[in-house]
Amino acid sequence: MKSAYRQDYQPAFSAVEIILANREEGLRSDLLSALLDSGSDGTLVPIAYLKDLLVAPLHDAFIRSHWGERRSVQLFLVDLEIGETRLPGVFVIGDDQGGEIVLGRNVLNKLVVLMDGLAEQVSLQ
């Protein structure tokens, strides 16, 4: 699957379209844009998307930003679909401050990712 970088960022940012799903409730999101961030340990999903899917928080945790800020968060369990690839039971951080989905290493390490900066496209396998 190939996807163009998002041009609304400067410089352009690698992104893919995903679907979030709550298997227990039988609910799925529409296609959503997700940024790829190999420097992020975990995946961030805005709380609004998780509420729409009726996903209940499973655990409380703490995260630390790259600036050293530490804050309390809730972890949720969702299924992720990226093209033909299905990733069941992925822990995501419910983000109550940001509006973007950020795919971190907990997801990216399950895929073959080629970021072609010159062509401004990303390929996932």
Side-chain angles (χ1 to χ4, degrees):
M1 175 182 124
K2 290 185 179 185
S3 182
Y5 279 25
R6 287 207 18 205
Q7 299 299 318
D8 54 332
Y9 283 86
Q10 212 41 260
F13 209 118
S14 56
V16 295
E17 289 188 329
I18 67 166
I19 293 174
L20 298 171
N22 178 343
R23 187 175 351 151
E24 291 180 10
E25 297 290 334
L27 298 172
R28 294 166 37 106
S29 72
D30 292 328
L31 280 175
L32 302 167
S33 180
L35 304 174
L36 278 59
D37 185 352
S38 63
S40 177
D41 295 333
T43 294
L44 303 172
V45 175
I47 287 284
Y49 294 138
L50 299 168
K51 286 184 178 179
D52 287 347
L53 294 172
L54 305 177
V55 181
L58 289 181
H59 304 286
D60 292 329
F62 288 95
I63 61 171
R64 187 175 310 273
S65 77
H66 54 286
W67 290 293
E69 157 201 9
R70 184 175 188 236
R71 68 178 172 125
S72 177
V73 295
Q74 292 181 312
L75 298 179
F76 297 79
L77 194 63
V78 298
D79 293 347
L80 264 166
E81 299 175 18
I82 307 170
E84 297 297 318
T85 302
R86 309 284 187 259
L87 300 174
V90 175
F91 278 105
V92 299
I93 298 161
D95 186 3
D96 61 354
Q97 295 180 8
E100 298 277 9
I101 297 172
V102 178
L103 297 182
R105 288 193 326 268
N106 68 316
V107 170
L108 298 177
N109 283 343
K110 297 176 183 185
L111 305 167
V112 175
V113 180
L114 173 64
M115 295 169 47
D116 184 346
L118 295 177
E120 293 188 344
Q121 72 178 14
V122 61
S123 299
L124 296 178
Q125 298 177 4

